[in-house]
Amino acid sequence: MNRAQELLTHTWGYQAFRGPQAEIIEHTLAGGDSLVLMPTGGGKSLCYQIPAIVGEGMGVIVSPLIALMQDQVEALELLGVSAAYLNSSLSSSQQSAVMNAASTGKLQMLYIAPERLIQNSTLNWLSQLKLSLIAIDEAHCVSQWGHDFRSDYLSLHVLADIFPSVPRIALTATADDRTRDEIIDRLQLSKPRRFVSSFDRPNIRYTVQAKIDAKRQLLQFLQDHREEAGIIYCMSRKKVESTAEWLCGRGFTAIPYHAGLNAETRSHNQQRFLREEHVIVVATIAFGMGIDKPDVRFVAHMDLPKSIEAYYQETGRAGRDGEHADAWMVYGLQDVVRLRQMTEESSAAEEHKRSERHKLDGLLGWCEITNCRRGALLEYFGDQQEQACGNCDTCLNPPETWDATQAAQKLLSCVYRTGQRFGAGHVIDVLRGKQSNKVTQFNHAELSTFGIGEDLDDQQWRSIIRQLLVQGYLHNQVDRYGALVLTEQSRALLRGEIQLSLRRELKLKPERKTKPAKRAVAEHRQELWDALRECRKRLSEEHGVPPYVIFHDATLMEMMEYMPNGPVQLLALNGVGDAKLERYGDEFLAVIRQFA
Ligand code: ADP
Ligand code: ZN
């Protein structure tokens, strides 16, 4: 462990191990297998990288993400670690060079794609080498129930037989109880220790708003994220394109990403996101897997994802560096109707549908909660939270609730009187006494419920309908174009047997909301900040790596705070190790000196 500590400080430039890292490293060095569950950004890589170097022989890391391998290897090389990767992106002569380096003991770490590893020739070759460990990253890919299933992962159990004395470590950021067991079972880990970290991402602020005017809301949100990198998720390709274009027209650097673009454009856009600063990617969920950019400052959802798991995974891409980040979402009645419809109309087996319905309901319920949003999120994953977090929308602006019993009764009667055949739009017109074509056509002005809801506006009625749908007092009938119908539960409400309390929607404010507490760069320090980033950008271009691989924002921030005036002080900062000091130290010190 002394050697491990030394690597941490000298090679990585970090002061202390984080959370369970030290324990995991110690356990691996002692030869034990383990299952590591840590949220994104928790620091999984060090858990295998350090013992891979400390242990005798080469560490093998199985990863399904080809793009990520290259990034990791580049970053390791900058730290002075000898690492390489083997996957289909290499030419055969490049592959021989890597294998040669490994065979002659020149590599400390080898990243390898699963489909490559499980080939007999690769296994035979590796079995002749001394290995310090085998790490299986994204281990949840072995689960057939999960959304990232990779059939090649199923064959990884052969490692247990071929390398019985090499410690194996399986790592993932998403795995419920069942998946954890499944990973251990399918990989045949031997008496593994389980290291389960909290799912909490305290630096991410969760905010969910009712969709009123989505674009305007997005713009308001982005006011606080000018000059920052972020991801905006949209449901459809068309919406991705139009949103990106619209944002460009508003002065943002926004680029689209979806499966309909050709591979070249996709890869180009992804590279721009990684290598340039302040790029916003507008994407379908096709984007994100394997995006390891640490300084993504926000993830915005313009449409609802399918489940809390999906939401957690997508928003988890924000703030890997531990700095303040925002997870922001708007959702509306249309989302609820559309997603329910998609579930019902899918050709999946009934059991699968039931599970999807259940998951969607979980997410909808979460959107509507009035207590700490983080607490509820953690609870969903089986974590407990001691007290309200103070860093989510419901903590910062506690939503008001109101007694909506009477309003709900009016609405339910109106649904009943109009024959349970219409969608929200028409029902609201009748309630508000609007003389629309449909009202005339169906003679609905004659109904007793015509005009009884004039006291509330369109948005308020939509909010009520949405909450009634979520709480099960209304149902939308899929085979009748989403017509609203009553449910068993509605009766008790109509008969006045229960009181209903609903969440009051926050009004869309015309003015700018207050700035969130984030990495505050004081005005007068702005010049130094810009100069440091400029220096990083220049070096990143020279070395052909993304800026964050040179130094994270957090390290630049420490430079501003401590104003180091020599190599020794620079080395004391988080993120500055020996190799980086030697490579870039002088350049950054020169910049700082100008401002001292
Ligand atoms: P994960 O793979 O779990 O998503 P990473 O291994 O990429 O997370 O680590 C997330 C970030 O945290 C990285 O930028 C990494 O350099 C940083 N990090 C990891 N361990 C430490 C530590 N002990 N001290 C400081 N920073 C750390
Ligand atoms: Zn909270």
Side-chain angles (χ1 to χ4, degrees):
M1 280 312 281
N2 284 344
R3 176 88 181 103
Q5 180 66 47
E6 195 182 289
L7 281 167
L8 180 77
T9 35
H10 285 280
T11 303
W12 271 269
Y14 296 144
Q15 273 121 17
F17 284 114
R18 207 191 253 171
Q21 281 175 335
E23 243 186 309
I24 296 168
I25 292 170
E26 196 165 6
H27 179 72
T28 309
L29 287 172
D33 283 359
S34 47
L35 172 67
V36 172
L37 251 108
M38 220 184 249
T40 308
K44 283 185 284 299
S45 325
L46 277 188
C47 298
Y48 55 81
Q49 289 172 338
I50 288 190
I53 300 174
V54 176
E56 197 191 330
M58 176 179 77
V60 169
I61 296 107
V62 187
S63 163
L65 309 166
I66 293 189
L68 210 69
M69 283 186 200
Q70 191 179 344
D71 287 356
Q72 294 246 18
V73 166
E74 275 175 6
L76 285 167
E77 279 173 347
L78 280 186
L79 295 174
V81 175
S82 65
Y85 59 89
L86 267 186
N87 62 36
S88 53
S89 74
L90 297 181
S91 69
S92 55
S93 68
Q94 285 172 317
Q95 299 194 17
S96 324
V98 168
M99 290 174 75
N100 197 29
S103 299
T104 51
K106 293 201 184 85
L107 284 186
Q108 292 170 296
M109 260 177 258
L110 178 66
Y111 283 77
I112 190 160
E115 61 275 12
R116 176 64 192 252
L117 175 67
I118 58 172
Q119 288 171 12
N120 278 330
S121 55
T122 315
L123 290 169
N124 280 337
W125 169 65
L126 279 177
S127 64
Q128 287 155 30
L129 304 181
K130 175 79 193 153
L131 302 186
S132 52
L133 60 80
I134 300 174
I136 297 148
D137 205 5
E138 312 289 348
H140 62 280
C141 291
V142 80
S143 164
Q144 277 167 304
W145 295 96
H147 34 55
D148 297 330
F149 174 61
R150 301 271 183 139
S151 56
D152 293 320
Y153 263 63
L154 286 181
S155 309
L156 292 177
H157 65 86
V158 300
L159 299 171
D161 295 330
I162 305 177
F163 305 98
S165 58
V166 177
R168 281 176 302 143
I169 166 171
L171 309 102
T172 174
T174 43
D176 54 19
D177 276 339
R178 185 169 75 167
T179 315
R180 291 174 205 180
D181 293 339
E182 208 181 342
I183 292 173
I184 291 176
D185 182 44
R186 292 194 189 277
L187 296 179
Q188 293 187 20
L189 298 180
S190 140
K191 298 202 200 86
R193 251 187 83 178
R194 296 178 185 222
F195 295 92
V196 180
S197 304
S198 161
F199 274 91
D200 193 16
R201 302 286 311 278
N203 60 317
I204 297 184
R205 176 176 299 173
Y206 299 98
T207 305
V208 179
Q209 292 180 353
K211 205 181 271 185
I212 300 169
D213 179 347
K215 278 189 175 166
R216 209 174 111 204
Q217 286 169 284
L218 177 65
L219 216 50
Q220 227 169 54
F221 167 71
L222 291 178
Q223 289 297 344
D224 292 325
H225 295 278
R226 287 245 163 225
E227 311 237 306
E228 290 183 351
I231 306 174
I232 299 175
Y233 283 112
C234 301
M235 188 67 199
S236 67
R237 296 173 186 185
K238 213 172 117 204
K239 190 160 165 189
V240 162
E241 297 278 352
S242 65
T243 308
E245 205 177 296
W246 176 77
L247 282 174
C248 286
R250 293 261 173 320
F252 292 92
T253 311
I255 50 182
Y257 189 103
H258 56 72
L261 298 170
N262 63 40
E264 201 180 322
T265 313
R266 280 207 310 262
S267 148
H268 176 75
N269 288 359
Q270 177 167 330
Q271 284 305 317
R272 281 194 64 190
F273 180 62
L274 294 177
R275 304 208 167 205
E276 290 175 29
E277 295 191 273
H278 332 140
V279 171
I280 297 175
V281 167
V282 187
T284 57
I285 49 171
F287 181 79
M289 177 82 170
I291 294 299
D292 195 11
K293 186 175 163 65
D295 55 355
V296 176
R297 294 269 68 86
F298 64 88
V299 170
H301 279 88
M302 297 298 277
D303 298 294
L304 265 191
K306 272 183 154 176
S307 63
I308 292 187
E309 285 91 341
Y311 176 77
Y312 178 81
Q313 200 176 35
E314 284 153 30
T315 54
R317 291 162 189 151
R320 275 174 177 251
D321 55 8
E323 301 288 316
H324 176 87
D326 272 293
W328 179 90
M329 173 157 77
V330 281
Y331 94 111
L333 185 53
Q334 273 311 315
D335 292 289
V336 181
V337 172
R338 182 179 46 79
L339 280 170
R340 287 241 166 105
Q341 208 143 346
M342 272 168 60
T343 322
E344 296 314 317
E345 284 171 352
S346 90
S347 55
E350 186 50 37
E351 187 200 343
H352 189 76
K353 273 193 193 176
R354 204 174 313 132
S355 138
E356 295 226 315
R357 238 179 263 141
H358 186 74
K359 287 188 167 178
L360 177 59
D361 287 346
L363 178 64
L364 293 172
W366 182 76
C367 287
E368 298 289 354
I369 57 161
T370 48
N371 47 349
C372 175
R373 206 176 279 292
R374 183 185 315 275
L377 189 63
L378 292 176
E379 205 164 289
Y380 184 87
F381 290 112
D383 269 8
Q384 288 296 326
Q385 184 181 246
E386 301 277 299
Q387 55 195 35
C389 76
N391 191 28
C392 70
D393 57 349
T394 47
C395 278
L396 293 164
N397 295 305
E400 280 177 39
T401 55
W402 60 295
D403 183 348
T405 314
Q406 223 188 11
Q409 285 168 340
K410 287 182 186 171
L411 185 117
L412 294 177
S413 345
C414 191
V415 167
Y416 183 71
R417 301 262 171 234
T418 49
Q420 309 189 61
R421 298 163 52 200
F422 299 94
H426 180 65
V427 172
I428 294 174
D429 282 351
V430 175
L431 277 168
R432 305 201 58 234
K434 200 165 145 193
Q435 294 287 354
S436 70
N437 288 342
K438 246 190 197 163
V439 165
T440 319
Q441 185 190 344
F442 292 98
N443 260 335
H444 281 166
E446 309 294 314
L447 296 178
S448 58
T449 51
F450 185 76
I452 58 168
E454 279 171 313
D455 50 329
L456 298 177
D457 67 19
D458 202 75
Q459 280 311 330
Q460 287 166 317
W461 282 117
R462 283 187 173 265
S463 159
I464 295 171
I465 295 176
R466 200 186 65 229
Q467 296 185 62
L468 290 177
L469 276 168
V470 169
Q471 296 191 24
Y473 292 104
L474 266 181
H475 183 74
N476 55 293
Q477 196 121 36
V478 172
D479 49 7
R480 285 200 279 158
Y481 307 102
L484 298 174
V485 296
L486 303 186
T487 67
E488 271 309 303
Q489 275 189 64
S490 342
R491 286 186 204 173
L493 187 54
L494 272 171
R495 284 198 296 259
E497 290 163 13
I498 34 176
Q499 294 280 312
L500 182 75
S501 153
L502 293 183
R503 180 189 167 112
R504 199 190 294 283
E505 237 51 81
L506 295 172
K507 281 258 181 280
L508 194 54
K509 283 190 213 113
E511 79 277 27
R512 227 165 149 262
K513 57 180 185 2
T514 52
K515 238 183 150 62
K518 60 172 178 185
R519 316 165 300 136
V521 179
E523 297 283 317
H524 67 283
R525 313 295 304 277
Q526 188 67 41
E527 281 179 34
L528 171 55
W529 177 242
D530 290 342
L532 288 170
R533 290 209 300 186
E534 188 51 43
C535 174
R536 176 173 70 177
K537 183 148 175 265
R538 184 168 45 75
L539 290 169
S540 97
E541 280 161 10
E542 265 171 45
H543 294 258
V545 294
Y548 57 79
V549 171
I550 309 268
F551 285 127
H552 281 183
D553 282 359
T555 305
L556 299 193
M557 226 98 69
E558 289 206 352
M559 291 185 193
M560 307 235 307
E561 190 176 342
Y562 297 106
M563 299 295 282
N565 56 17
V568 181
Q569 286 105 323
L570 192 57
L571 198 56
L573 305 185
N574 234 338
V576 187
D578 293 344
K580 287 193 178 173
L581 176 72
E582 192 174 319
R583 274 204 181 84
Y584 316 123
D586 288 344
E587 312 251 5
F588 283 93
L589 284 170
V591 173
I592 295 164
R593 214 165 290 131
Q594 286 168 28
F595 289 83

